[in-house]
Amino acid sequence: MSEIAAIADPTRRRLIHLLAEAEEIPLHELTAQFKMGRTAVSKHLTILKEAGLVLDRKVGRETRFRLKASPLTEIQVWVASYNKFWSKGMLGLKLLLEDEEKMSETLISDFQFNTSIEKVWSALTDSNKLAKWVMENNFKPVVGHRFQFRTQPVEGWNGVIDCEVLILDEPNRLSYTWVSGGQNNTVTWTLQDLGNGKVNLHLEQSGITNEYVLENAKRGWAAMCGMLEKVLAE
């Protein structure tokens, strides 16, 4: 596979970005940066290695990887030859890698409740129950339905979150957009019946581009899921 084909995949571009920031990284540390298993990450690294972009070595039972940057210079020269065809807003390879990293922020949290999966699903999809633990809303469990969460405005924010239902798979999965304050995110809830009266509620809020927003989202959902526990107990 050519160097250009090897970096066409966003996962491999992120691997290059991670390797560029460190002299050498072991496989387990690279794997920890992705929502995929060790085998999948290894396959991507093998493709980069075959393209001459990555080197590896064994240290005991551990495999460590480092970037071989010289082939990227050839790509840069090739890209530069087409600059006249690009608009001023197009970014070079370095900015592309930085943006890929910046846009990859996803809040992931898990909450467990002693209740039934049906009760949790109802708390996620019933507008009146949502109002008790999230915000006032006009939610309807219909794919494509546009709705809003609304709360008291504060300085710099009107207190409105615009949403649209994307996925409705009762009682397993619910996803909707979450647009507010310049952020265009996607919130996805995944429910899993653990048996013995326990339910795991998995949250992913993807598309976060601001560290401040990420930290606030962590605290906010933790507090709201604390309220959810009280709603489920009613």
Side-chain angles (χ1 to χ4, degrees), residues 117-133:
I117 194 169
E118 290 79 14
K119 277 193 172 183
V120 178
W121 180 259
S122 178
L124 290 171
T125 57
D126 181 288
S127 179
N128 293 327
K129 291 178 182 177
L130 272 173
K132 293 181 179 180
W133 68 277

Side-chain angles (χ1 to χ4, degrees), residues 82-101:
Y82 289 91
N83 276 343
K84 62 182 179 180
F85 299 110
W86 292 1
S87 67
K88 292 181 180 179
M90 293 296 287
L91 299 175
L93 176 61
K94 180 175 182 296
L95 289 180
L96 174 64
L97 295 173
E98 289 176 352
D99 279 355
E100 198 73 50
E101 179 70 12

Side-chain angles (χ1 to χ4, degrees), residues 53-179:
L53 294 167
V54 167
L55 300 173
D56 64 351
R57 70 186 183 102
K58 285 282 189 180
V59 179
R61 301 176 65 180
E62 180 180 73
T63 303
R64 297 187 178 184
F65 295 86
R66 67 181 186 275
L67 180 66
K68 183 182 177 184
S70 54
L72 292 176
T73 303
E74 299 175 16
I75 296 174
Q76 185 179 24
V77 171
W78 179 83
V79 168
S81 69
Y82 289 91
N83 276 343
K84 62 182 179 180
F85 299 110
W86 292 1
S87 67
K88 292 181 180 179
M90 293 296 287
L91 299 175
L93 176 61
K94 180 175 182 296
L95 289 180
L96 174 64
L97 295 173
E98 289 176 352
D99 279 355
E100 198 73 50
E101 179 70 12
K102 187 167 61 177
M103 292 299 294
S104 67
E105 294 285 5
T106 299
L107 167 61
I108 299 175
S109 297
D110 284 274
F111 307 93
Q112 291 190 3
F113 303 100
N114 293 313
T115 187
S116 68
I117 194 169
E118 290 79 14
K119 277 193 172 183
V120 178
W121 180 259
S122 178
L124 290 171
T125 57
D126 181 288
S127 179
N128 293 327
K129 291 178 182 177
L130 272 173
K132 293 181 179 180
W133 68 277
V134 183
M135 303 174 203
E136 291 295 328
N137 65 92
N138 59 334
F139 176 88
K140 291 182 181 179
V142 178
V143 172
H145 173 64
R146 295 183 179 181
F147 66 100
Q148 291 182 333
F149 283 113
R150 298 178 298 273
T151 190
Q152 193 70 27
V154 295
E155 185 177 355
W157 182 49
N158 64 2
V160 176
I161 300 167
D162 293 302
C163 309
E164 180 179 348
V165 180
L166 301 176
I167 298 173
L168 192 75
D169 177 20
E170 182 178 358
N172 305 303
R173 196 165 179 236
L174 171 67
S175 182
Y176 43 79
T177 58
W178 182 278
V179 182

